[in-house]
Amino acid sequence: MNKRHDHRAAAYLLLGVGAAGRAFLAVPEGVSLAELSLTVLMVAGALLLTREGLQALCCGTAALALELALCGSWVQDGGWLPVVLRLVDLWLLMGLAAGALAPARRVMDDLRYTKSTHTMWVAEAVILLAHTVLRAVNLAVPGSAGLATAVSVSFVAFSVVLLWFTVLMVKASTALRNQN
């Protein structure tokens, strides 16, 4: 196996591990050091993809900067700004995932894999859109227990889709390691 395949296999593995960790954290509010560290893993994976994963690298770097800002004490005061920035962070995470899928499709060169990545991306976009709308409504009408539950459920669904992304990245990593 050549060195280029080693770097790309490691990239997909880092992206997958970072996504899995983010999914298992399932923290809709606040940015913890663990979440920040997992985003660093994903950005490192995107960096290894370099030109092929430019969108992933740009979105990941922006998400990392945003998460660093969200670690500040000003977030504890609450309000709408941290919630909006947190939603932007999730959309950047989705952009990172989408940017990593294109080079992964070329590695796999398999119609089922391509369909699965497309379906995963659409599911992620729809769930994140629903989560964004629910969060906006929750900001406008705070205190509704049913709405708070719907926000939590939509975030858990987003986390499950991140696990699907993890599986896709691990498959791409395995395919690269198995190439001669």
Side-chain angles (χ1 to χ4, degrees):
M1 179 165 42
N2 69 34
K3 191 174 182 177
R4 181 178 160 105
H5 287 316
D6 287 343
H7 290 292
R8 289 174 65 205
Y12 294 123
L13 198 54
L14 285 170
L15 286 160
V17 168
R22 293 276 311 246
F24 284 122
L25 284 178
V27 181
E29 293 302 321
V31 176
S32 68
L33 186 58
E35 185 175 9
L36 192 61
S37 301
L38 292 165
T39 301
V40 168
L41 283 180
M42 294 180 79
V43 170
L47 186 61
L48 287 173
L49 292 176
T50 57
R51 288 171 293 216
E52 293 178 306
L54 189 57
Q55 176 187 339
L57 182 59
C58 291
C59 288
T61 304
L64 191 58
L66 191 57
E67 287 171 13
L68 283 169
L70 285 168
C71 284
S73 60
W74 65 274
V75 173
Q76 305 307 322
D77 297 337
W80 62 270
L81 185 58
V83 173
V84 170
L85 293 178
R86 187 73 187 121
L87 288 169
V88 170
D89 179 50
L90 292 175
W91 281 100
L92 287 170
L93 181 62
M94 189 182 101
L96 189 158
L101 288 174
R105 283 186 203 110
R106 288 190 292 276
V107 166
M108 294 298 291
D109 193 27
D110 178 273
L111 186 59
R112 281 183 40 207
Y113 186 84
T114 299
K115 286 181 180 179
S116 184
T117 61
H118 180 72
T119 304
M120 189 276 317
W121 186 85
V122 169
E124 185 177 43
V126 167
I127 291 168
L128 190 52
L129 181 60
H131 180 71
T132 301
V133 169
L134 288 168
R135 289 292 298 170
V137 171
N138 196 35
L139 275 173
V141 186
S144 169
L147 192 54
T149 300
V151 168
S152 296
V153 168
S154 67
F155 189 80
V156 169
F158 180 77
S159 297
V160 169
V161 174
L162 278 179
L163 291 175
W164 187 359
F165 173 76
T166 298
V167 170
L168 294 170
M169 290 297 101
V170 169
K171 283 182 179 181
S173 176
T174 302
L176 276 171
R177 286 183 299 153
N178 290 335
Q179 286 180 359
N180 292 334

PDB file of all heavy atoms in Angstrom, residues 44 66 81 90 95 98 112 124 136 146 157:
ATOM      1  N   ALA A  44      -8.462  17.279  11.555  1.00  0.00           N
ATOM      2  CA  ALA A  44      -7.209  16.605  11.181  1.00  0.00           C
ATOM      3  C   ALA A  44      -7.462  15.618  10.037  1.00  0.00           C
ATOM      4  O   ALA A  44      -6.662  15.526   9.096  1.00  0.00           O
ATOM      5  CB  ALA A  44      -6.613  15.883  12.388  1.00  0.00           C
ATOM      6  N   LEU A  66     -15.662  28.381  15.922  1.00  0.00           N
ATOM      7  CA  LEU A  66     -16.935  28.692  16.572  1.00  0.00           C
ATOM      8  C   LEU A  66     -17.043  27.992  17.920  1.00  0.00           C
ATOM      9  O   LEU A  66     -17.500  28.581  18.913  1.00  0.00           O
ATOM     10  CB  LEU A  66     -18.094  28.298  15.658  1.00  0.00           C
ATOM     11  CG  LEU A  66     -19.475  28.774  16.035  1.00  0.00           C
ATOM     12  CD1 LEU A  66     -19.518  30.286  16.169  1.00  0.00           C
ATOM     13  CD2 LEU A  66     -20.468  28.324  14.976  1.00  0.00           C
ATOM     14  N   LEU A  81     -28.196  34.297  21.221  1.00  0.00           N
ATOM     15  CA  LEU A  81     -26.965  34.236  20.428  1.00  0.00           C
ATOM     16  C   LEU A  81     -26.230  32.897  20.564  1.00  0.00           C
ATOM     17  O   LEU A  81     -25.861  32.302  19.544  1.00  0.00           O
ATOM     18  CB  LEU A  81     -26.048  35.408  20.766  1.00  0.00           C
ATOM     19  CG  LEU A  81     -24.782  35.514  19.901  1.00  0.00           C
ATOM     20  CD1 LEU A  81     -25.132  35.632  18.424  1.00  0.00           C
ATOM     21  CD2 LEU A  81     -23.931  36.680  20.360  1.00  0.00           C
ATOM     22  N   LEU A  90     -23.578  23.199  14.155  1.00  0.00           N
ATOM     23  CA  LEU A  90     -24.103  21.924  13.651  1.00  0.00           C
ATOM     24  C   LEU A  90     -24.170  21.917  12.128  1.00  0.00           C
ATOM     25  O   LEU A  90     -23.876  20.901  11.487  1.00  0.00           O
ATOM     26  CB  LEU A  90     -25.474  21.632  14.258  1.00  0.00           C
ATOM     27  CG  LEU A  90     -25.483  21.334  15.756  1.00  0.00           C
ATOM     28  CD1 LEU A  90     -26.908  21.181  16.265  1.00  0.00           C
ATOM     29  CD2 LEU A  90     -24.654  20.111  16.079  1.00  0.00           C
ATOM     30  N   GLY A  95     -21.619  20.345   6.882  1.00  0.00           N
ATOM     31  CA  GLY A  95     -20.797  20.694   5.730  1.00  0.00           C
ATOM     32  C   GLY A  95     -19.490  19.928   5.710  1.00  0.00           C
ATOM     33  O   GLY A  95     -19.023  19.494   4.651  1.00  0.00           O
ATOM     34  N   ALA A  98     -20.399  16.436   4.522  1.00  0.00           N
ATOM     35  CA  ALA A  98     -20.684  16.435   3.086  1.00  0.00           C
ATOM     36  C   ALA A  98     -19.404  16.565   2.282  1.00  0.00           C
ATOM     37  O   ALA A  98     -19.232  15.910   1.246  1.00  0.00           O
ATOM     38  CB  ALA A  98     -21.650  17.567   2.741  1.00  0.00           C
ATOM     39  N   ARG A 112     -24.032   1.215  -4.510  1.00  0.00           N
ATOM     40  CA  ARG A 112     -24.733   1.123  -3.223  1.00  0.00           C
ATOM     41  C   ARG A 112     -24.157   2.106  -2.210  1.00  0.00           C
ATOM     42  O   ARG A 112     -24.887   2.732  -1.450  1.00  0.00           O
ATOM     43  CB  ARG A 112     -24.652  -0.301  -2.661  1.00  0.00           C
ATOM     44  CG  ARG A 112     -25.639  -1.233  -3.325  1.00  0.00           C
ATOM     45  CD  ARG A 112     -25.647  -2.623  -2.755  1.00  0.00           C
ATOM     46  NE  ARG A 112     -25.520  -2.663  -1.309  1.00  0.00           N
ATOM     47  CZ  ARG A 112     -25.002  -3.666  -0.644  1.00  0.00           C
ATOM     48  NH1 ARG A 112     -24.572  -4.738  -1.269  1.00  0.00           N
ATOM     49  NH2 ARG A 112     -24.919  -3.636   0.663  1.00  0.00           N
ATOM     50  N   GLU A 124     -29.561  13.726   7.014  1.00  0.00           N
ATOM     51  CA  GLU A 124     -28.887  14.666   7.906  1.00  0.00           C
ATOM     52  C   GLU A 124     -29.423  16.089   7.706  1.00  0.00           C
ATOM     53  O   GLU A 124     -29.706  16.799   8.670  1.00  0.00           O
ATOM     54  CB  GLU A 124     -27.381  14.619   7.634  1.00  0.00           C
ATOM     55  CG  GLU A 124     -26.549  15.457   8.565  1.00  0.00           C
ATOM     56  CD  GLU A 124     -25.072  15.304   8.276  1.00  0.00           C
ATOM     57  OE1 GLU A 124     -24.669  15.295   7.099  1.00  0.00           O
ATOM     58  OE2 GLU A 124     -24.312  15.206   9.259  1.00  0.00           O
ATOM     59  N   ALA A 136     -35.683  27.288  16.912  1.00  0.00           N
ATOM     60  CA  ALA A 136     -36.147  28.665  16.705  1.00  0.00           C
ATOM     61  C   ALA A 136     -37.506  28.872  17.366  1.00  0.00           C
ATOM     62  O   ALA A 136     -37.736  29.893  18.033  1.00  0.00           O
ATOM     63  CB  ALA A 136     -36.221  28.975  15.217  1.00  0.00           C
ATOM     64  N   GLY A 146     -43.418  19.856  25.611  1.00  0.00           N
ATOM     65  CA  GLY A 146     -43.495  19.058  24.388  1.00  0.00           C
ATOM     66  C   GLY A 146     -42.504  19.525  23.341  1.00  0.00           C
ATOM     67  O   GLY A 146     -41.881  18.720  22.641  1.00  0.00           O
ATOM     68  N   ALA A 157     -31.704  12.251  16.852  1.00  0.00           N
ATOM     69  CA  ALA A 157     -31.777  11.744  15.474  1.00  0.00           C
ATOM     70  C   ALA A 157     -30.579  12.217  14.662  1.00  0.00           C
ATOM     71  O   ALA A 157     -29.990  11.456  13.887  1.00  0.00           O
ATOM     72  CB  ALA A 157     -33.082  12.188  14.811  1.00  0.00           C
TER      73      ALA A 157
END
